[in-house]
Amino acid sequence: MAKHFGEAQWRAWFSKFEQQDITVAQFCDAIGVSVPSYYKWRRKLQVAEGHRETTPQFVSVVLSRPTLEIELPCGAKASVANDVESLRPVLQVLLELGAKP
């Protein structure tokens, strides 16, 4: 059975996360919640606090190959299966890294 945590718990977790130098995935694993839940609650609390929620601008891309190769500015390359379950966590990490100052 899934555990449901309230606003106070999420606020405490977000405060704790800001003090640590770990990824969202590592943090979620440590507290036993899913990455999508983390982002859902972060968005929910930002809207409640009056932060302006922005909608990322995406370009529609149709991929016909079974794998997608991502080349990072540092020269590293990653091959990812071309399906939603494989691409979603990769895109979440890339978006998270792009949002850090």
Side-chain angles (χ1 to χ4, degrees):
M1 184 170 176
K3 295 179 183 176
H4 297 282
F5 301 99
E7 182 178 326
Q9 179 63 67
W10 280 100
R11 286 186 187 281
W13 280 336
F14 287 130
S15 178
K16 182 178 178 183
F17 174 72
E18 290 173 4
Q19 299 169 9
Q20 299 181 14
D21 189 27
I22 61 175
T23 66
V24 169
Q26 290 169 325
F27 184 74
C28 290
D29 188 47
I31 62 173
V33 300
S34 69
V35 171
S37 291
Y38 171 93
Y39 286 108
K40 179 186 89 171
W41 272 96
R42 185 177 76 170
R43 201 171 33 253
K44 186 177 189 176
L45 294 177
Q46 285 176 339
V47 169
E49 293 172 358
H51 293 286
R52 186 175 161 225
E53 187 175 10
T54 59
T55 303
Q57 300 298 313
F58 291 97
V59 175
S60 177
V61 177
V62 177
L63 303 171
S64 59
R65 296 186 176 175
T67 59
L68 171 67
E69 187 172 277
I70 301 170
E71 185 171 350
L72 302 172
C74 65
K77 293 181 182 180
S79 291
V80 182
N82 184 9
D83 59 70
V84 173
E85 294 80 22
S86 300
L87 290 172
R88 181 172 281 127
V90 173
L91 294 174
Q92 286 177 334
V93 168
L94 292 174
L95 287 170
E96 177 186 322
L97 291 173
K100 288 189 176 183

